[in-house]
Amino acid sequence: MAKDQTGFSSFRFCCSILVFLFALSSIPLLYWSCFFGYGYYYIQTTTSNENRSTNLLRFPKAWNHLDFSSQPPQRLLKIALFVKKWPDENQAGGLERHALTLHLALAKRGHELHIFTASSSNSSFPLYPHFHISRPTAAGYLDQAVVWKQFQEENATKRPFDVIHTESVGLRHTRSKNLKNLAVSWHGIAYETLHSDIIQELLRNTTDDPVKSPALSERMKKVIEEVKFFPNYAHHVATSDHAGDVLKRIYMIPEERVHVILNGVNEEIFKPDVSKGNAFKSNLGIPESKSLIVGLAGRLVKDKGHPLMFEALQQIFNENSTFRDNVIVLVAGNGPWGTRYKGLRSNNVMVLGPLEQDQLAAFYNAIDVLINPTLRAQGLDHTLLEAMLTGKPLMATKLASITGSIIVSQEMGYTYAPTVRELKKALYKIWEDGRESLQKKGRFARKRGLKLFTATKMAAAYERLFLCISSDEKQAHNYCIYQSQFN
């Protein structure tokens, strides 16, 4: 028995040593993981003075972190873009806004743009890119047979396309599988949307069996379908760090075919301007005595979290008259929840409707914090980026795309779990912190925004990617190598 106890004690001692060593070895990993976001970034991108070149196709972080020349390249490209709808500048969704901002910037840098898109009564077409217009299908998508014929005719001219870009499935995977010089930008994938579906199921608060939910079942099928057809696209651009990680790990796309380029917005429009903000408040009749002005912007629909926001505000207004009387809520955008916000019957809730970009810039300058209650766990919402560049702090749902790429620390804003209880706590927190604290966070947010989320940074990154994957392999190779600027 004594021998058995001695053996057991020795075994336990060995186990303790192993646990200790494991914990000790984990400390550096945890440190670097917290410091850099994705732990492998430091290991793969730190180079010695003797080796300062990086293969861009294997760069693990967002290309926005890199510094590319602001001058147009020596080689100008002929680019084909497939996008379901060319947007009206003031009524654009995220995908359309991305296409508009990116490709007009590339055209201004001298590249020859050919845009294959569907006609729309709401679209306005600028003069300098070449547009190839077709009628949309009954479901509102591009007619693949028509746009493919248009593409082939243009590609058969004296100068074929150097690179092809499709926003999401603007060009179907059945047409793309033999195009090596093609990149697809994803502004949301089915795997990410599973998180949104789970949130929606929980908010329904029913006794139904979630396993039998038609929405969840369909989403799982969609994920499997995407995993099968995504490899038919040569190169994939994820618009968030989280999406890039999912494409590599879950969708099993080789890392050299997945590239993270974060969305960017026009830094010449969205910038701090105190006088513009004061004029906006004055036009609305907002007195200086109000302690806080919070803003909501975007589509006022269910999946953007407005039912949650409405309920949180309603409860706070009922339980705290001081908050109700001293906090102004400005709501910019269109959608059914605009009318319901008016139903709060508070003089301090103002529904402004959709705003043009200049008006939107003034709106951001007027508020103290932007709140984005979205339940859509995908893409990078442009309103968050616009507010950052205007120097405003953010408050948003704790979703992987947001916490992994935008609100990466409390220095620039607040995140919360998507429940009414947690949203109320966050609203009270920003009220208690007050304007001075919010202004400090806003300055930090703008600093990060200028580093990562400008239209200039985004366009330069896409331009370099397009040069790297273009059809002229001999010239393209040089553009795939990035020379570090460090001494």
Side-chain angles (χ1 to χ4, degrees), residues 150-173:
Q150 291 174 332
F151 168 78
Q152 287 182 313
E153 288 176 352
E154 180 61 38
N155 200 43
T157 60
K158 291 182 180 179
R159 186 185 180 191
F161 287 108
D162 296 299
V163 69
I164 301 106
H165 179 211
T166 173
E167 295 279 8
S168 186
V169 291
L171 182 66
R172 293 278 295 170
H173 63 91

Short mmCIF file of all heavy atoms in Angstrom, two decimals, residues 150-173:
data_model
loop_
_atom_site.label_atom_id
_atom_site.label_comp_id
_atom_site.label_asym_id
_atom_site.label_seq_id
_atom_site.Cartn_x
_atom_site.Cartn_y
_atom_site.Cartn_z
N GLN A 150 -20.98 39.89 -72.59
CA GLN A 150 -20.40 41.23 -72.63
C GLN A 150 -18.92 41.19 -72.26
O GLN A 150 -18.08 41.84 -72.90
CB GLN A 150 -21.16 42.15 -71.66
CG GLN A 150 -22.58 42.48 -72.08
CD GLN A 150 -23.30 43.28 -71.00
OE1 GLN A 150 -23.00 43.16 -69.81
NE2 GLN A 150 -24.25 44.10 -71.40
N PHE A 151 -18.61 40.42 -71.22
CA PHE A 151 -17.23 40.30 -70.76
C PHE A 151 -16.34 39.68 -71.84
O PHE A 151 -15.24 40.17 -72.12
CB PHE A 151 -17.19 39.45 -69.49
CG PHE A 151 -15.81 39.02 -69.07
CD1 PHE A 151 -14.95 39.90 -68.44
CD2 PHE A 151 -15.36 37.73 -69.34
CE1 PHE A 151 -13.67 39.51 -68.06
CE2 PHE A 151 -14.09 37.32 -68.97
CZ PHE A 151 -13.23 38.22 -68.32
N GLN A 152 -16.81 38.60 -72.44
CA GLN A 152 -16.01 37.92 -73.46
C GLN A 152 -15.74 38.81 -74.67
O GLN A 152 -14.65 38.79 -75.24
CB GLN A 152 -16.71 36.62 -73.89
CG GLN A 152 -16.66 35.52 -72.85
CD GLN A 152 -17.32 34.25 -73.33
OE1 GLN A 152 -18.43 34.28 -73.87
NE2 GLN A 152 -16.63 33.12 -73.15
N GLU A 153 -16.74 39.59 -75.05
CA GLU A 153 -16.57 40.49 -76.20
C GLU A 153 -15.51 41.55 -75.90
O GLU A 153 -14.65 41.83 -76.74
CB GLU A 153 -17.91 41.17 -76.54
CG GLU A 153 -18.92 40.22 -77.18
CD GLU A 153 -20.27 40.87 -77.41
OE1 GLU A 153 -20.46 42.03 -76.93
OE2 GLU A 153 -21.14 40.25 -78.05
N GLU A 154 -15.54 42.12 -74.70
CA GLU A 154 -14.55 43.13 -74.34
C GLU A 154 -13.17 42.51 -74.13
O GLU A 154 -12.15 43.09 -74.48
CB GLU A 154 -14.99 43.88 -73.07
CG GLU A 154 -14.04 44.96 -72.61
CD GLU A 154 -13.85 46.06 -73.66
OE1 GLU A 154 -14.84 46.43 -74.33
OE2 GLU A 154 -12.70 46.54 -73.80
N ASN A 155 -13.16 41.29 -73.60
CA ASN A 155 -11.90 40.60 -73.33
C ASN A 155 -11.21 40.16 -74.63
O ASN A 155 -10.00 39.91 -74.64
CB ASN A 155 -12.14 39.39 -72.43
CG ASN A 155 -10.89 38.91 -71.73
OD1 ASN A 155 -10.11 39.72 -71.23
ND2 ASN A 155 -10.68 37.61 -71.70
N ALA A 156 -11.97 40.07 -75.71
CA ALA A 156 -11.42 39.63 -77.00
C ALA A 156 -10.86 40.79 -77.82
O ALA A 156 -10.38 40.59 -78.93
CB ALA A 156 -12.49 38.90 -77.80
N THR A 157 -10.91 42.02 -77.28
CA THR A 157 -10.38 43.17 -78.00
C THR A 157 -8.84 43.16 -77.94
O THR A 157 -8.24 42.24 -77.36
CB THR A 157 -10.91 44.48 -77.39
OG1 THR A 157 -10.51 44.56 -76.01
CG2 THR A 157 -12.43 44.54 -77.48
N LYS A 158 -8.22 44.17 -78.51
CA LYS A 158 -6.76 44.22 -78.57
C LYS A 158 -6.12 44.11 -77.18
O LYS A 158 -5.02 43.59 -77.04
CB LYS A 158 -6.31 45.52 -79.26
CG LYS A 158 -6.64 45.57 -80.73
CD LYS A 158 -6.14 46.87 -81.35
CE LYS A 158 -6.45 46.93 -82.84
NZ LYS A 158 -5.97 48.20 -83.44
N ARG A 159 -6.81 44.62 -76.18
CA ARG A 159 -6.25 44.56 -74.83
C ARG A 159 -7.21 43.79 -73.92
O ARG A 159 -8.24 44.30 -73.51
CB ARG A 159 -6.02 45.96 -74.26
CG ARG A 159 -5.31 45.91 -72.90
CD ARG A 159 -5.18 47.26 -72.25
NE ARG A 159 -4.51 47.15 -70.97
CZ ARG A 159 -4.44 48.13 -70.07
NH1 ARG A 159 -5.01 49.29 -70.33
NH2 ARG A 159 -3.80 47.94 -68.92
N PRO A 160 -6.88 42.55 -73.57
CA PRO A 160 -7.73 41.78 -72.65
C PRO A 160 -7.59 42.31 -71.22
O PRO A 160 -6.71 43.12 -70.92
CB PRO A 160 -7.18 40.36 -72.77
CG PRO A 160 -5.77 40.53 -73.19
CD PRO A 160 -5.73 41.76 -74.04
N PHE A 161 -8.45 41.83 -70.36
CA PHE A 161 -8.43 42.29 -68.97
C PHE A 161 -7.21 41.74 -68.23
O PHE A 161 -6.85 40.57 -68.37
CB PHE A 161 -9.71 41.84 -68.24
CG PHE A 161 -10.94 42.59 -68.65
CD1 PHE A 161 -11.92 41.98 -69.43
CD2 PHE A 161 -11.10 43.91 -68.29
CE1 PHE A 161 -13.06 42.67 -69.81
CE2 PHE A 161 -12.24 44.63 -68.67
CZ PHE A 161 -13.21 44.00 -69.43
N ASP A 162 -6.59 42.62 -67.45
CA ASP A 162 -5.47 42.19 -66.60
C ASP A 162 -5.96 41.48 -65.36
O ASP A 162 -5.31 40.56 -64.85
CB ASP A 162 -4.63 43.41 -66.19
CG ASP A 162 -3.99 44.09 -67.37
OD1 ASP A 162 -3.19 43.42 -68.07
OD2 ASP A 162 -4.28 45.28 -67.62
N VAL A 163 -7.11 41.90 -64.84
CA VAL A 163 -7.63 41.32 -63.60
C VAL A 163 -9.15 41.46 -63.57
O VAL A 163 -9.71 42.38 -64.19
CB VAL A 163 -6.99 42.03 -62.37
CG1 VAL A 163 -7.49 43.46 -62.24
CG2 VAL A 163 -7.23 41.25 -61.09
N ILE A 164 -9.79 40.52 -62.90
CA ILE A 164 -11.26 40.53 -62.75
C ILE A 164 -11.59 40.58 -61.27
O ILE A 164 -10.99 39.86 -60.46
CB ILE A 164 -11.90 39.27 -63.39
CG1 ILE A 164 -11.54 39.19 -64.88
CG2 ILE A 164 -13.40 39.28 -63.21
CD1 ILE A 164 -10.52 38.15 -65.19
N HIS A 165 -12.54 41.44 -60.93
CA HIS A 165 -12.98 41.57 -59.54
C HIS A 165 -14.50 41.40 -59.50
O HIS A 165 -15.21 42.02 -60.28
CB HIS A 165 -12.60 42.94 -58.98
CG HIS A 165 -13.04 43.17 -57.57
ND1 HIS A 165 -13.38 44.43 -57.09
CD2 HIS A 165 -13.21 42.31 -56.53
CE1 HIS A 165 -13.72 44.33 -55.82
NE2 HIS A 165 -13.63 43.06 -55.45
N THR A 166 -14.98 40.54 -58.60
CA THR A 166 -16.42 40.40 -58.42
C THR A 166 -16.77 40.70 -56.97
O THR A 166 -16.13 40.21 -56.04
CB THR A 166 -16.92 39.00 -58.82
OG1 THR A 166 -18.31 38.87 -58.47
CG2 THR A 166 -16.14 37.88 -58.14
N GLU A 167 -17.76 41.56 -56.79
CA GLU A 167 -18.28 41.83 -55.45
C GLU A 167 -19.26 40.72 -55.11
O GLU A 167 -20.31 40.58 -55.74
CB GLU A 167 -18.99 43.19 -55.41
CG GLU A 167 -18.09 44.39 -55.66
CD GLU A 167 -17.32 44.82 -54.41
OE1 GLU A 167 -17.36 44.10 -53.40
OE2 GLU A 167 -16.66 45.89 -54.46
N SER A 168 -18.88 39.88 -54.13
CA SER A 168 -19.66 38.71 -53.77
C SER A 168 -19.86 37.85 -55.02
O SER A 168 -18.93 37.68 -55.80
CB SER A 168 -20.99 39.13 -53.13
OG SER A 168 -21.70 38.03 -52.64
N VAL A 169 -21.06 37.31 -55.22
CA VAL A 169 -21.29 36.41 -56.35
C VAL A 169 -21.83 37.16 -57.56
O VAL A 169 -22.65 36.63 -58.31
CB VAL A 169 -22.24 35.25 -55.96
CG1 VAL A 169 -21.56 34.31 -54.98
CG2 VAL A 169 -23.54 35.78 -55.37
N GLY A 170 -21.36 38.41 -57.75
CA GLY A 170 -21.75 39.15 -58.96
C GLY A 170 -21.45 38.33 -60.19
O GLY A 170 -22.25 38.25 -61.12
N LEU A 171 -20.28 37.69 -60.21
CA LEU A 171 -19.95 36.70 -61.23
C LEU A 171 -20.06 35.33 -60.56
O LEU A 171 -19.36 35.04 -59.60
CB LEU A 171 -18.54 36.91 -61.77
CG LEU A 171 -18.12 35.94 -62.89
CD1 LEU A 171 -18.97 36.18 -64.14
CD2 LEU A 171 -16.64 36.09 -63.22
N ARG A 172 -20.93 34.50 -61.07
CA ARG A 172 -21.18 33.19 -60.46
C ARG A 172 -19.94 32.29 -60.54
O ARG A 172 -19.12 32.40 -61.45
CB ARG A 172 -22.34 32.50 -61.16
CG ARG A 172 -23.69 33.18 -60.95
CD ARG A 172 -24.31 32.79 -59.63
NE ARG A 172 -24.64 31.37 -59.60
CZ ARG A 172 -25.02 30.72 -58.50
NH1 ARG A 172 -25.08 31.36 -57.36
NH2 ARG A 172 -25.32 29.44 -58.56
N HIS A 173 -19.84 31.38 -59.58
CA HIS A 173 -18.68 30.50 -59.50
C HIS A 173 -18.59 29.57 -60.72
O HIS A 173 -17.51 29.08 -61.05
CB HIS A 173 -18.74 29.68 -58.21
CG HIS A 173 -19.92 28.76 -58.11
ND1 HIS A 173 -19.88 27.46 -58.55
CD2 HIS A 173 -21.17 28.97 -57.61
CE1 HIS A 173 -21.06 26.89 -58.32
NE2 HIS A 173 -21.86 27.78 -57.75
#
